[in-house]
């Protein structure tokens, strides 16, 4: 007991100038350990498709980084809670619909994303999304992404828009339908850890 009182007094004296509070070891609170949240699993890497309930024009494509996945969002205003048709699958190469032109996409694997929304106005023929064939998506910067490596605008033909998404490897992905948006999430890994 005397040794603990001496140690406590020494700590109080040396720490007093720094405004420190000294607590005896047996009264110290437990230290919380940081836990790692599990990432969702079960998405798989097989082709995913969905039927369209309405047709409106694509106006924007954005990307975002998350703890467990990289995200690509297709904005199709006016569709509201209607469904945007899609066909998303891994391919060896991307070829433009209509012309058959090969569009190179960098990465360990390539996801071809087709959405049932033209990048032009069906009434006027004017562009609603400013993508250029075989060029990276405008306004998308993939610096710092774990999974996404490259994006290419492939084209818009007969009401569908086609995108090439280069990813690090063939990884699981999922599709989400949100109001006015179609979301493609590609996981960082096949496992459950971040």
């Amino acid at each position: 007991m005397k040794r603990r009182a001496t140690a406590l007094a020494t700590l109080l004296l040396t720490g007093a100038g720094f405004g420190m509070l000294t607590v005896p070891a047996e009264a110290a609170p437990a230290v919380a350990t940081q836990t790692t949240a599990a990432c969702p699993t079960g998405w798989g890497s097989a082709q995913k498709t969905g039927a369209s309930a309405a047709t409106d024009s694509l106006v924007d494509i954005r990307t975002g980084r998350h703890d467990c996945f990289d995200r690509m969002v297709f904005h199709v205003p006016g569709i509201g809670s209607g469904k945007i048709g899609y066909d998303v699958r891994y391919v060896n190469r991307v070829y433009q619909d209509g012309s058959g032109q090969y569009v190179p996409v960098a990465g360990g694997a390539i996801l071809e994303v087709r959405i049932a929304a033209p990048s032009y106005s069906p009434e006027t023929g004017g562009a609603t999304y400013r993508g250029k064939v075989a060029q990276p998506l405008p306004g998308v910067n993939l610096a710092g992404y774990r999974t996404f490596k490259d994006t290419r605008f492939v084209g818009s033909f007969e009401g569908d828009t086609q995108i090439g998404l280069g990813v690090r490897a063939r990884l699981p992905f999922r599709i989400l339908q949100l109001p006015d948006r179609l979301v493609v999430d590609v996981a960082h890994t096949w496992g459950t850890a971040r």
Side-chain angles (χ1 to χ4, degrees):
M1 183 72 167
K2 185 175 178 182
R3 188 179 332 165
R4 187 169 20 146
T6 305
L8 182 58
T10 304
L11 286 172
L12 285 172
L13 287 174
T14 59
F18 300 107
M20 295 177 66
L21 172 65
T22 305
V23 179
E26 58 267 18
V31 176
T33 59
Q34 183 178 1
T35 59
T36 302
C39 292
T41 59
W43 296 350
S45 65
Q47 175 184 9
K48 295 170 180 58
T49 61
S52 176
T55 302
D56 287 281
S57 297
L58 171 72
V59 299
D60 195 19
I61 302 173
R62 296 182 313 275
T63 58
R65 294 179 294 168
H66 295 266
D67 287 342
C68 298
F69 53 85
D70 289 348
R71 171 170 283 180
M72 180 172 279
V73 179
F74 297 85
H75 188 201
V76 184
I79 203 161
S81 60
K83 300 293 184 188
I84 302 168
Y86 61 88
D87 183 328
V88 183
R89 66 178 84 188
Y90 280 102
V91 296
N92 293 324
R93 301 180 118 199
V94 177
Y95 296 95
Q96 185 184 55
D97 284 347
S99 73
Q101 175 185 340
Y102 166 62
V103 176
V105 181
I110 302 166
L111 263 179
E112 181 179 37
V113 181
R114 296 170 188 259
I115 67 166
S119 62
Y120 55 85
S121 167
E123 292 82 31
T124 67
T128 57
Y129 178 71
R130 63 187 196 279
K132 303 280 186 229
V133 173
Q135 297 300 309
L137 299 180
V140 171
N141 180 352
L142 298 181
Y145 281 68
R146 286 183 57 189
T147 298
F148 290 175
K149 298 301 174 192
D150 190 18
T151 63
R152 297 292 159 166
F153 183 77
V154 181
S156 198
F157 181 72
E158 294 185 349
D160 287 349
T161 298
Q162 189 180 6
I163 303 296
L165 175 59
V167 295
R168 183 172 43 80
R170 186 179 176 126
L171 293 162
F173 68 95
R174 70 176 174 185
I175 309 299
L176 301 173
Q177 293 267 358
L178 302 174
D180 294 333
R181 289 168 175 78
L182 181 78
V183 176
V184 178
D185 291 333
V186 183
H188 293 316
T189 66
W190 277 95
T192 58
R194 290 185 186 179

